[in-house]
Amino acid sequence: MQQFIHRIWYQGHQAKWLLLPLSGLFWLISTIRRGLFRFGLKQAQVLPVPVIVVGNITAGGSGKTPTVIYLIELLRQHGYKPGVISRGYGVNIDGVMAVNHHAKACEVGDEPAMIVARTQVPMVVGASRVSAAQALLSEFDVDVIISDDGLQHYALERDIEIALVDGERRYGNHCLLPAGPLREGLWRVNSVDFIINNGGPAYDGEVLMTLEPAPLCQINSLLHHEFSQQDSVVAMAGIGNPQRFFSSISQLGYKVVQTVEFADHQAFDAKQLNALSVQHSLLMTEKDAVKCRDFAQSNWWYLPVNAKLNSEFDHALLSRLQQVAQTKKGLSHGI
């Protein structure tokens, strides 16, 4: 199914015409919902600290999680105390939940589990990002909030919007869901503060981001298994754009004998993955690896990647953030 949807969205399959009436309904509902906030019939929640939303206008992966991790590290380097909120996609959370270092992906979502495992950042997940943000402020000492996704979550007022775009797939056939990948029309990217292009080529007004691979990591390091560059691997990915991962590891010189695609955010079955790794090492993304920590075998590995952006982006973001922080501080003192 995922491959068929990809053909419709990105390869011009004619089945999109059958889905366009549903896209029209999607447009109507989303326009009404957005209009309620725009005309003041619903009020967005304003928070006392700056809010940075990292999202996209397309369904599927575009590099949000590496971007969030990059921002966490950038803000810390400049004296900020960031916290993160997220929906916790694919899990049912009653209210909100703080994410600790040992949180399981099945409890909080794969991306939150990965972000906290990598950075130990204060993080709260929940269906309501407003409630998650309020809990984050009450339970942790943070002075800026990063929302992992949520560009269309208008109930939460935001101060800085960052939209990601996949440099290869871009906006597909430019149709709204379900005929195309768009959550909102292309007009939406003109209203954000920054457009980050994951992988390039970057268009005018876009900031190029590259993902730099780090050395392989063993998922269960207690099992002590050495990896050789000559080892044959089965590559698997349950992310929005698996082909990007497969291309990356091939370019790095790993001997890939088989590639296996799973749906984004899919829970994994230990028996199925064990079968894939009987004769070869199993290589996956870091986001997939957090879902396998409890049953990983000695020859299961993941490839960490680190986002890289230019200093001009860093300076522009930090300058904008400083302005927002000063404004909010002034308002809190009644200036």
Side-chain angles (χ1 to χ4, degrees), residues 24-294:
L25 180 61
F26 179 87
W27 171 86
L28 178 62
I29 295 172
S30 59
T31 299
I32 292 173
R33 182 176 177 276
R34 189 167 51 244
L36 293 175
F37 289 98
R38 180 180 179 184
F39 296 111
L41 298 176
K42 282 191 175 184
Q43 295 295 321
Q45 179 66 49
V46 179
L47 298 179
V49 301
V51 175
I52 303 172
V53 172
V54 180
N56 55 16
I57 67 166
T58 57
S62 57
K64 292 187 299 294
T65 302
T67 304
V68 169
I69 293 172
Y70 180 91
L71 293 177
I72 293 168
E73 296 172 347
L74 175 67
L75 296 180
R76 284 174 169 171
Q77 291 169 7
H78 289 82
Y80 290 97
K81 295 176 288 186
V84 181
I85 59 174
S86 176
R87 167 66 179 86
Y89 187 88
V91 296
N92 293 318
I93 298 172
D94 184 14
V96 298
M97 179 185 297
V99 183
N100 61 47
H101 179 66
H102 299 290
K104 295 183 178 181
C106 62
E107 299 171 338
V108 299
D110 48 15
E111 290 158 346
M114 171 185 164
I115 290 170
V116 173
R118 173 81 83 94
T119 68
Q120 290 77 57
V121 70
M123 186 168 189
V124 175
V125 297
S128 167
R129 288 178 178 83
V130 171
S131 297
Q134 291 171 335
L136 183 66
L137 290 175
S138 66
E139 296 179 28
F140 300 97
D141 180 20
V142 302
D143 56 14
V144 58
I145 293 176
I146 302 170
S147 178
D148 177 24
D149 211 351
L151 201 61
Q152 292 78 33
H153 194 83
Y154 290 105
L156 177 63
E157 186 68 31
R158 68 288 310 272
D159 302 289
I160 300 174
E161 291 186 327
I162 300 174
L164 275 291
V165 58
D166 187 309
E168 297 176 356
R169 303 190 300 182
R170 293 198 66 82
Y171 304 110
N173 60 15
H174 294 190
C175 293
L176 292 172
L177 292 166
L182 297 186
R183 299 171 174 178
E184 295 183 280
L186 288 177
W187 60 268
R188 184 65 171 87
V189 294
N190 296 322
S191 65
V192 303
D193 297 279
F194 301 96
I195 304 171
I196 294 180
N197 183 310
N198 179 13
Y203 289 21
D204 289 344
E206 297 178 349
V207 180
L208 177 63
M209 177 178 75
T210 56
L211 298 178
E212 297 189 340
L216 290 188
C217 293
Q218 191 177 15
I219 299 176
N220 189 340
S221 59
L222 298 178
L223 298 178
H224 302 295
H225 180 85
E226 295 295 326
F227 183 88
S228 169
Q229 190 77 12
Q230 301 305 313
D231 290 350
S232 298
V233 302
V234 173
M236 55 161 279
I239 57 176
N241 186 359
Q243 191 55 50
R244 179 187 291 275
F245 173 67
F246 298 148
S247 297
S248 296
I249 59 177
S250 294
Q251 291 170 4
L252 290 170
Y254 294 106
K255 297 173 60 178
V256 180
V257 297
Q258 182 183 359
T259 60
V260 182
E261 293 186 18
F262 294 95
D264 196 10
H265 303 289
Q266 179 174 329
F268 297 131
D269 178 78
K271 291 183 179 180
Q272 183 180 20
L273 299 191
N274 286 336
L276 293 176
S277 59
V278 172
Q279 298 181 0
H280 309 283
S281 293
L282 190 62
L283 180 54
M284 65 188 73
T285 70
E286 187 173 4
K287 192 176 85 166
D288 293 324
V290 299
K291 295 182 284 188
C292 302
R293 290 182 295 196
D294 291 340

Side-chain angles (χ1 to χ4, degrees), residues 264-332:
D264 196 10
H265 303 289
Q266 179 174 329
F268 297 131
D269 178 78
K271 291 183 179 180
Q272 183 180 20
L273 299 191
N274 286 336
L276 293 176
S277 59
V278 172
Q279 298 181 0
H280 309 283
S281 293
L282 190 62
L283 180 54
M284 65 188 73
T285 70
E286 187 173 4
K287 192 176 85 166
D288 293 324
V290 299
K291 295 182 284 188
C292 302
R293 290 182 295 196
D294 291 340
F295 52 84
Q297 301 300 310
S298 62
N299 62 338
W300 294 14
W301 304 81
Y302 70 88
L303 179 71
V305 294
N306 298 306
K308 182 179 180 181
L309 291 99
N310 59 43
S311 59
E312 289 81 5
F313 167 79
D314 293 354
H315 177 75
L317 176 72
L318 292 168
S319 296
R320 172 68 176 143
L321 180 59
Q322 184 178 35
Q323 294 172 359
V324 172
Q326 289 175 345
T327 299
K328 286 183 176 280
K329 184 177 181 180
L331 291 174
S332 68

